[in-house]
Every structure is written in structure tokens, then in C-alpha cells.
Amino acid sequence: MTRRRFLHAAGALGALAGLRRLAPASVSPANGSQLIPDVETRVVGSNNRVELVIDRTPFGFGGRRGIATTINGSVPGPLLRFREGERAAIHVTNRLREDTSIHWHGLLVPNAMDGVPGVNFPGIHPGQTFVYEFPLRQYGTYWYHSHSGFQEQLGHYGPLIIDPIEPEPFQYDREYVVMLSDWSFENPLKILDNIKKQGSYYNFQRRTVGDFFRDVDRAGLRATIADRWEWGKMRMSPIDIADVTGSTYTYLLNGLPPASNWTGLFRPGERVRLRFINAGAGSYFDVRIPGLEMTLVQASGQHVQPVTFDEFRIEIAQTFDVIVQPTEDRAYTIFAESMDRSGHARGTLAPRAGMSAEVPKRRPRPTLGMMDMGMAMSMGGHGGMSMPGMDMSGTQAPAKPSADASMAGMDMPTPKPAAPAASGHAGHDMGSMRGMVTPDMASSGGAGVFEGTLRDGTIIRASNLRAPGTIPEPVMHAGSTHGSASAGTAMETRSRLSEPGAGLGEDGWRVLVWTDVKRLTPAATFEAPAREIELHLTGNMERYMWSINGIKYSDAPDPIPLKHGERIRLTIVNDSMMAHPMHLHGVFMELENGHGPECPYVHTINVKPAERVSLLATPVDPGPWAFHCHVLLHMDLGMFRVFQVSEPDGTMTTSEGAAV
Amino acid sequence: MDLDRVIRTFVLAEQLEVHANQPERPVDVELVSWIGGDYRRLFLRVQGEQSTRRSGGGEMQGDVLYGRFIAPYWSVVAGARVDTRLRKDVVSVDGENPSNGRRAPSARSTRGMIAVGFVGLAPGWFELEPTLLVSDKGDVSLDLQSSFDLLLTQRLIVQPWVEINAAVQAVPEIGVGSGLNDVEVGARMRYEIRRKFAPYLGVSLLRRTGVTAATTHNLGERRSVGTIMAGLRIWR
């Protein structure tokens, strides 16, 4: 079947990612059950052997045609479904004219199976078949995607589910994968070229003269001029929410544009599990289903204590499993607005095929506030900047004093005062540090634990670390501002896990925030970190440069050394004005959101502008692991590092193909 | 990966325009371009004006500058400028009788200059290109250009600009006096049919001052020149 016919059929009949396993028999036959094998490859051959073929396939909608990079001919690729405790054998054949790869996002696999060309393996060359084989050591909702070039933007991604051995602590009657993504008919290389030459190329929501006068009406002339000057001084724009927008992207839900209206069926009263996956190359989505509340049961594939809300923002590469219970015999819209409000993806939950509900209007695009710039403290003195009533108010509102947030604060064992070195960049003197660190030094452990600054500007601390599971204190940025690659270093960074994020939380309904999320079962042992590794996310929108510590990956080839089994705290500080979904391969991270042993596991965490996020991890799988921003362009331009985990005996091994 | 190391080429025809109300009906071209990566770029700027009337002359100015990205919004640049003026006719004081007029400085004059300066974005989103020039004869002058984008709508954009020329020493041959020579202010209003393709209409006012004004006045040029222009702004 051609992709076009498949799309058409799926769009009309729904159940693109519908799973028969849990669906009553009455749903499937009349709804094109012959389609389902196309998306469900749970049983391919035997012993969890799966064949995947990467190829170029015509893809289009709305009368426009393009060429997608597909997995077994579809976008998204097939749903892979395994069971925890078993072994997967996935044969990937490359029919492209360029190298390809698959990375299993969030899966704990042996290093050589992680699929990052230049880090873990040389990539899959044209015509070659690579066999990924690994044990399934976890349960949950994940996804997989290319780690080569721009293939992910071109459709090379798919959902992946691992059913747990243990019964799940929640019930549901049926389930759907809801995979959100973004598609452009423009060549991604062209998109990058355009944005490199004009940062605002795709932004058609910039502030105009009209906005100026509207702000004057609301906030007064003086305040408006002061606001414009504050931003103008920084040569930044408070509407820099997304680099690539709906002006070229069409937002897809399970591979379908809004007009195709993907539909998942339910019978009133049933509990429906929705496995949300954000496979966007550059888009965050704000998801709600008007008329239904959602209960989070898994985040990053791991069980969490149920928390109920009306809307959530799904960061790029994140997965959230929610349960909804539609009781009425009517259709409900799954509405996923892009964070910058330049477009939306949409689907429907309905008792019968062919139904649809009202599609909400998109809200106005959010405006960043000075808090997003890490200017909160310094603004205290300038009365002119409070700007009451301006559209920035939403994002400027201080963290909501929600029960969870305040609890989070109270839970904290009294944090030790931040060590002097903690205030940013004492000793960020690259020249004098050059050549100072070798992997053995950092991995030698014991008495000689390395403390200082790596050549690439990464700060390592081994003393005066605060208690595990606590929220970082606000810290004023000191010392280096990371050079010309970094524009507008945040003066003060702090935790923003209790904030929903720019443009959310002002609509009078409940919005999920990370301080609401707790692991289902508290950690049996919850060790304090032995070392803290602090990295600063940096960028310069004027030249569209992205880096870590002001240094692009291509200028920072040394891996950051980690010792096998050591307890580390990874502190990520966002010194840029855009949000970055940061992903560390090869290990689960415990997000320090104030809940101690109940801190949730994550594989990806969004870091808001001017935010300081810390995570605990205990890497055990040896080898080089990628750490990067999951905005594809940011990663490709240099917001990328490698963490090298030593062997249990302390030695470092480099896997083949590690030379970039 | 390593997409950050790609050498890119940017060519912007900032101006490609006809000066509709000038008797010479000059065509004016300004190209701004660079080639390079994130930190090191070669900047090329070409500015030229050519009369479309038989009597008219023209002038062209070209810069080749090597730039280093030294601060978040600033490149420091250094290179050379070549300034060529071409006059086909001798111009009279009153514009009526060429034989009454003084001689024009020369039919063709070319100056080579060393140029150093900055290319960047000043607080308030002002594009700023201050350039210090030292000619082959040791004359020092300063050229300052600044512009700004004002969005009426997402596609209708007004771009006011200012250009200031000043010199330390007078160079009478080409009508340059010492001190502030001239100030030109203007605005172009473009409509971005596409980001890279925008027709525009504009106005400008050139005001010559001091010695320059007197010199050029003697050459038959007015102290103040108002221009109405129409053109295209394109880039790739």
C-alpha cells in the first residue's frame, strides 16, 4: 500500500496507532483492522526480531508532496512493542544514499547499541544492515529516531513500548499512542541556512508598531518605552519562542496534519491511556483535551504518583502517559498547540469514526519576561519594569505558591550555603586550565577526586554539595559570560520547575508542572552525589550559534569523564533565552524537584530560560554517551557534549567510530 | 554534525533602486555580503551610483574587510576601500553654462584607503558600521552608517537610516572638507512578499555641511538633496 493511500485510509478510519491488544473486538473490524499490522510490529518473526528498512518515500498532504525519510515506508515508523525482560533484535537496513542510524530514546542499552554516529558507532552505511541487539531492562513508553543529519526532521522516528513484567498500578480499557511532530516541505538544510542568515526568518509574530501602541494603552508610555529599551539594550526579542515555526512547519499527530483528524475510538465510560510522545525536531506542544481532565501515570516511561490536570507542555523528546475517561457520547479534541502558537496538531477521541469536536482557537503567542532573561533580581530596583497588565505578565508571575512547590521548599534538609565556587565561574580561565584534566584524573576517585574547570568550561565540584533531591538555590552568574558565542548571559539563574513556562498557567485551568511529579515508589537508597558537574547552555541568536559553556561541540572534542558507578549531580544552567530539552544518553536521571527519594526519573528535561536544573545519576554502562539539546538545530550546531563513563576497573575505552 | 563549520555565503542587495526625482535619474546599488563561518568572515560591501542620463557620471565604492567575531554582537573588521568617481561632464555653477563653471575636480578619481572598524548591532537593535579610513595620502576620515527595522506589520517594514561622513583633513580634489562633511537620513518602506524579496519605496535627505557644502556648491551641486526612490531588497 502506498503511503498516500495509507494516510487517506487512516485519516478516514482512525485508529492509526490503535492497539488491538486492549481494544474491544467491536472496534477493530469495521475500522480497517487490516491497517493495524502496518503500525504494530510486536510480532515480526520470532524472538522479538524486527526488520526495519530506512528509505525515501513520497510523503504529503493538502496537495503538497515531499520526500520523507521513512522507516518501513511510513511516518512515523512502526510501533515497536516488546516486553520487559526479553531481548530485542532489530535489523536495520539502510536504503538511503547517506548514512543512517537509530537511537532508542530513553532506553538503557549497551553503549555500542545506542546508535549515535561518531560517538558509539560509525553509523549504518548505504546498503548496510546493522543489528541492534539488547536486553529490555525497563518498561514504559519511549521512541526511536535517527541520530544522523536531519533525518529526524524528515520523518525518521517511531514509537516504542515496553510492556512491564509487573502489573501496572493503574487500570485502563484501551490505549493509543499520540506521537506529535513537525514537518516541513522545505529542506532542513535550507531552513538552517535561512535562520543562520536571519534569526527571525520564520517568525511572523514579531512585535510591531501596533503592539507598541497596545502596550502603551495598557501599561502607559513610560513603562512601554522602558520595556522596549530593556529588550533593545540586550538586542533580544521577548517573542523568541521558537526558531522554526508554523510558517514552514505543519504539526502532525501520528503523522497526520490537523485536517486529517486522527481519531481514537472509545466507548463512553472507558478509561483511555494516551501515550504522548513529542517527536518534534524543534517544537514544544501544549496539550489539552477540552472537557477531559488528564491523569499522569508515567513520565519518561516510568511510573509516577498520579497527578491530575487540564493541560501540559510536552518538551521535545519527552513522553507522558495520561489516562482520560470520556463519559459522554461525543467527540473530544486532542489539541496540541505549538509553544509559540504558530500552529497546532490535532486529533479526536470519539465514540464513532468520522466525528469531530470544536477545535479551540489558538492563544496569542507568549511573551518572555525579564525573569526569563535572568534579570529578576536586578529588576527589583527599576519600578518601570514591572509592567502591570502587559502581556508579559503571565510569564513574569512569580512561581505559583502551589502546595507542591511550598512543600518542596520545606522538604529540603537545610541546604549548605553555596560554596564560593558555586557562584558560577570562579576559575573559568580557560587558558590556565588547558591540558589540566585527563580522564584518569577525574576517574581516579578516592582522594584525588577532580574539582575544578574542564577545558571546555564545565565546572566540577566535589565538596559542599547540597542534600540530594533538593531544589537548587538561585545563583548569580559570576565571572565569564562565555564569550561571543553567548549573548545575554542570565545574571541570576534559579529553579523554575514549579512554573508551567511561557504562555501557560494563565487560563484558569490546572497545568502540569515538574514539581507535581513524584516517583511512584520512593527510592530505597537515595545517595548523596559525590561530584557535581555544571554546564551552561549558551547561544547567540544573532548568528544562530548554539553551544555549551560558550564552546561549540566542534571546538570541544574532549569527553567529560565519569567514573563507573559514581553518584553525580548534573547541574544544567540555561544562559540563553530559549528553552532547551536536554537529554543524556545511557542513564536515567533523577530530577531534583524537591521530593527527595520521590524525585522522578527522566531521560530528557526541559531547561527554561534562566533556569538552573539539577539531576542525579549513577552511570554504570561504560563508554561514551551523548548529552545534547533535543532541538535538532541546536544539537547540530554545537549544543552537544560526550560523557565518557569508565569501565568498572576505572579505565576508559573508546568505542569504534568515536572519531567524529 | 559539524554543521556549525559550514562556510556560508550571504549576499544582500540592500538597495537596488532608481532615484525617481533626480534629473540624472541615477540608479543606486548597495550590496552587503559576507562569506565565512561563525567567527571569521570576509565582508564585501559595494555601493555604486550611475546616472542613466548621457551627461551624468557615477561613483562606486567597494570595501573588502576581514572580520573577527569578538563580542556577542560585534565583529571587528579591517581591510581596504576603493572609492572611484566618474564625471563625464564639467558642471557649471548655475547649471546653465558649463564654460562659466569651475572645472570639476577630475573626470575620474580613484582613492584607495585602509579601513578599520566594526560591524555590529548596537543597543536598541541599531545596525551600526563605523569605519575609520586612511587614504593612500594619509587622509583620515570616518564613515558611520546605522539603520533600524520598524515593523508596521509582520511584512511591512520601515527602515530608517542615517549615514554620516566626516574627515580630519580636507581633500579638495574630491570635494571633501575637514570636519563633518555630510549627513544623510532616510527611510525605506519595504513589503516582504517573501523574506528574501521585498520591493520598497523610500525618501532621503542629504545635507552637506561646512567646507564640503561650499565646495560642492561651487561645483554646482546643491547643499541639500532630497530623493525619492523605488527599488528592491533581495538576498540569498
Side-chain angles (χ1 to χ4, degrees):
Chain A
M1 186 186 305
T2 66
R3 175 68 193 164
R4 192 187 180 85
R5 275 180 52 215
F6 176 41
L7 271 187
H8 179 76
L13 301 171
L16 178 68
L19 306 167
R20 281 173 303 170
R21 198 170 67 88
L22 293 162
S26 62
V27 178
S28 297
N31 292 299
S33 62
Q34 74 279 6
L35 291 179
I36 291 173
D38 275 2
V39 292
E40 172 156 16
T41 58
R42 161 99 175 96
V43 183
V44 181
S46 58
N47 296 326
N48 286 323
R49 184 189 152 105
V50 176
E51 305 269 0
L52 298 180
V53 177
I54 316 301
D55 206 345
R56 286 158 55 86
T57 309
F59 178 75
F61 44 78
R64 298 190 71 186
R65 308 282 289 160
I67 301 283
T69 303
T70 54
I71 308 156
N72 292 1
S74 69
V75 177
L79 168 64
L80 304 185
R81 191 153 195 156
F82 303 107
R83 184 169 291 279
E84 186 185 2
E86 296 179 351
R87 258 185 102 76
I90 305 165
H91 296 240
V92 181
T93 301
N94 183 5
R95 291 213 189 123
L96 306 173
R97 278 169 287 186
E98 60 186 29
D99 284 7
T100 192
S101 57
I102 295 185
H103 164 64
W104 316 98
H105 188 99
L107 257 56
L108 305 173
V109 298
N111 190 265
M113 296 293 131
D114 195 50
V116 184
V119 175
N120 312 104
F121 81 137
I124 310 170
H125 304 311
Q128 224 180 34
T129 298
F130 184 88
V131 183
Y132 288 91
E133 258 193 295
F134 46 83
L136 300 152
R137 309 195 297 203
Q138 65 205 93
Y139 61 84
T141 303
Y142 302 93
W143 64 297
Y144 59 94
H145 61 83
S146 171
H147 232 290
S148 303
F150 285 122
Q151 291 167 8
E152 184 192 321
Q153 163 72 74
L154 291 166
H156 185 316
Y157 49 80
L160 192 160
I161 295 171
I162 305 174
D163 291 310
I165 300 174
E166 302 276 325
E168 290 184 309
F170 45 85
Q171 265 94 48
Y172 55 97
D173 301 298
R174 69 173 75 209
E175 61 176 327
Y176 294 104
V177 167
V178 182
M179 192 168 218
L180 303 167
S181 61
D182 38 31
W183 169 265
S184 172
F185 289 99
E186 267 185 294
N187 181 337
L189 278 170
K190 192 71 203 161
I191 291 177
L192 173 59
D193 197 60
N194 289 338
I195 215 164
K196 264 287 196 190
K197 292 171 183 177
Q198 186 186 349
S200 59
Y201 190 91
Y202 292 102
N203 190 341
F204 287 91
Q205 303 186 88
R206 294 187 290 173
R207 294 213 282 196
T208 63
V209 171
D211 292 327
F212 178 84
F213 287 112
R214 264 189 295 280
D215 288 348
V216 169
D217 277 350
R218 269 187 286 183
L221 182 64
R222 279 182 61 143
T224 304
I225 290 174
D227 167 71
R228 293 304 193 271
W229 177 239
E230 282 302 323
W231 287 100
K233 251 188 348 198
M234 297 185 292
R235 287 148 289 191
M236 289 188 177
S237 168
I239 43 80
D240 247 336
I241 307 293
D243 306 329
V244 187
T245 71
S247 68
T248 187
Y249 277 155
T250 300
Y251 301 103
L252 307 181
L253 192 155
N254 287 339
L256 297 175
S260 295
N261 192 23
W262 174 90
T263 302
L265 299 180
F266 69 88
R267 280 197 299 211
E270 279 185 328
R271 289 166 63 83
V272 182
R273 177 185 192 168
L274 300 173
R275 297 174 183 265
F276 282 97
I277 303 167
N278 186 351
S283 308
Y284 289 73
F285 294 96
D286 294 334
V287 181
R288 64 189 204 270
I289 309 174
L292 291 181
E293 60 173 29
M294 297 179 270
T295 301
L296 185 74
V297 292
Q298 278 186 3
S300 280
Q302 299 298 296
H303 295 326
V304 297
Q305 296 178 29
V307 46
T308 300
F309 45 84
D310 304 297
E311 184 170 21
F312 64 92
R313 171 165 293 170
I314 186 164
E315 47 225 64
I316 297 164
Q318 187 58 269
T319 67
F320 286 128
D321 286 38
V322 305
I323 289 180
V324 295
Q325 191 167 17
T327 51
E328 293 170 56
D329 184 47
R330 68 166 178 99
Y332 296 86
T333 296
I334 301 172
F335 188 60
E337 274 173 293
S338 72
M339 179 165 68
D340 73 323
R341 312 289 180 243
S342 63
H344 66 266
R346 162 244 183 174
T348 298
L349 291 177
R352 289 169 297 283
M355 295 177 76
S356 61
E358 189 195 345
V359 179
K361 266 184 68 173
R362 292 201 298 266
R363 292 164 286 190
R365 58 122 171 83
T367 307
L368 297 176
M370 284 295 152
M371 291 248 294
D372 296 288
M373 307 307 302
M375 303 286 278
M377 296 294 278
S378 60
M379 285 301 115
H382 306 301
M385 286 316 299
S386 54
M387 303 293 282
M390 292 202 53
D391 54 359
M392 68 197 317
S393 61
T395 57
Q396 256 200 327
K400 279 217 182 68
S402 74
D404 282 307
S406 52
M407 261 178 59
M410 286 163 60
D411 272 352
M412 284 192 219
T414 321
K416 298 186 181 108
S423 54
H425 293 245
H428 184 166
D429 178 353
M430 311 249 312
S432 65
M433 290 293 167
R434 206 158 281 278
M436 193 173 153
V437 160
T438 63
D440 331 286
M441 280 176 68
S443 61
S444 60
V449 172
F450 175 74
E451 189 161 14
T453 306
L454 298 182
R455 248 184 349 170
D456 81 334
T458 300
I459 300 162
I460 298 187
R461 281 181 215 106
S463 51
N464 289 323
L465 305 183
R466 61 172 214 282
T470 56
I471 289 177
E473 297 281 292
V475 173
M476 295 296 287
H477 203 283
S480 165
T481 50
H482 312 297
S484 56
S486 170
T489 305
M491 286 168 73
E492 185 208 54
T493 52
R494 68 204 181 288
S495 174
R496 304 187 72 182
L497 293 175
S498 61
E499 299 174 40
L504 274 194
E506 293 299 303
D507 304 284
W509 57 67
R510 293 162 298 172
V511 179
L512 178 70
V513 294
W514 269 112
T515 42
D516 290 343
V517 183
K518 295 176 193 173
R519 185 189 309 186
L520 185 69
T521 317
T525 57
F526 195 63
E527 283 174 54
R531 294 200 301 156
E532 176 173 12
I533 295 168
E534 180 175 319
L535 303 107
H536 288 226
L537 309 177
T538 45
N540 187 331
M541 286 302 290
E542 200 45 36
R543 290 212 169 175
Y544 203 67
M545 295 165 71
W546 297 103
S547 53
I548 289 175
N549 306 321
I551 301 172
K552 300 185 292 182
Y553 179 55
S554 57
D555 294 326
D558 296 350
I560 297 165
L562 298 180
K563 197 185 165 191
H564 166 85
E566 78 169 323
R567 182 78 161 161
I568 57 155
R569 167 176 288 141
L570 181 61
T571 295
I572 309 172
V573 178
N574 189 348
D575 278 335
S576 82
M577 62 173 299
M578 296 198 85
H580 301 288
M582 300 306 296
H583 172 46
L584 176 59
H585 293 214
V587 68
F588 260 119
M589 304 179 285
E590 292 157 274
L591 174 66
E592 295 190 285
N593 62 351
H595 297 304
E598 295 184 323
C599 285
Y601 281 121
V602 293
H603 46 58
T604 308
I605 185 66
N606 178 45
V607 190
K608 300 179 183 86
E611 186 172 15
R612 176 173 285 267
V613 165
S614 69
L615 308 118
L616 298 171
T618 311
V620 290
D621 290 308
W625 297 99
F627 169 73
H628 61 90
C629 177
H630 226 285
V631 174
L632 191 59
L633 290 178
H634 296 182
M635 173 181 81
D636 282 338
L637 292 177
M639 199 176 267
F640 189 103
R641 285 291 189 275
V642 172
F643 281 85
Q644 173 108 20
V645 180
S646 73
E647 299 289 335
D649 66 6
T651 57
M652 290 285 183
T653 48
T654 313
S655 64
E656 63 215 279
V660 181
Chain B
M1 241 167 277
D2 275 3
L3 280 165
D4 61 307
R5 300 236 166 152
V6 171
I7 301 295
R8 294 175 197 283
T9 310
F10 174 74
V11 183
L12 163 67
E14 177 90 58
Q15 299 167 33
L16 209 62
E17 65 192 24
V18 179
H19 291 180
N21 67 330
Q22 301 296 333
E24 305 277 281
R25 285 288 153 79
V27 173
D28 196 283
V29 177
E30 186 180 332
L31 297 175
V32 181
S33 60
W34 53 257
I35 177 166
D38 285 335
Y39 291 102
R40 292 185 291 268
R41 283 177 182 176
L42 194 66
F43 292 86
L44 303 164
R45 298 191 291 224
V46 179
Q47 219 174 334
E49 190 180 294
Q50 177 62 50
S51 166
T52 55
R53 294 284 183 267
R54 189 180 298 178
S55 57
E59 57 183 68
M60 204 183 90
Q61 178 185 300
D63 293 0
V64 181
L65 304 159
Y66 170 76
R68 288 295 293 263
F69 194 48
I70 50 152
Y73 299 100
W74 295 99
S75 286
V76 60
V77 296
R81 169 175 294 183
V82 175
D83 206 339
T84 299
R85 291 168 193 236
L86 220 119
R87 283 173 198 279
K88 293 225 171 91
D89 269 7
V90 171
V91 184
S92 72
V93 172
D94 54 13
E96 280 170 14
N97 187 350
S99 60
N100 289 344
R102 299 189 183 183
R103 291 279 306 163
S106 68
R108 181 196 188 103
S109 64
T110 297
R111 282 208 298 173
M113 285 168 277
I114 300 286
V116 291
F118 295 97
V119 174
L121 201 57
W125 289 100
F126 293 95
E127 302 267 2
L128 204 59
E129 291 179 10
T131 313
L132 185 75
L133 300 147
V134 182
S135 79
D136 45 11
K137 298 197 177 67
D139 307 312
V140 179
S141 57
L142 181 76
D143 170 350
L144 181 80
Q145 293 188 36
S146 181
S147 70
F148 180 79
D149 271 0
L150 195 63
L151 275 68
L152 297 182
T153 71
Q154 297 299 326
R155 292 175 188 274
L156 188 64
I157 296 166
V158 175
Q159 184 189 37
W161 89 92
V162 60
E163 178 168 356
I164 298 168
N165 286 297
V168 176
Q169 302 93 346
V171 187
E173 304 93 272
I174 56 161
V176 169
S178 64
L180 188 65
N181 276 290
D182 56 62
V183 177
E184 185 170 13
V185 294
R188 293 185 180 83
M189 183 164 75
R190 67 177 187 267
Y191 186 79
E192 293 186 347
I193 295 170
R194 300 196 178 285
R195 280 276 191 248
K196 298 177 182 178
F197 184 85
Y200 64 82
L201 293 170
V203 290
S204 73
L205 182 66
L206 171 72
R207 175 81 180 174
R208 298 189 176 94
T209 58
V211 178
T212 307
T215 315
T216 50
H217 184 69
N218 289 341
L219 294 171
E221 290 182 22
R222 284 164 295 161
R223 203 175 272 272
S224 295
V225 184
T227 304
I228 298 169
M229 60 204 69
L232 276 179
R233 181 184 191 269
I234 51 179
W235 62 270
R236 68 169 300 279

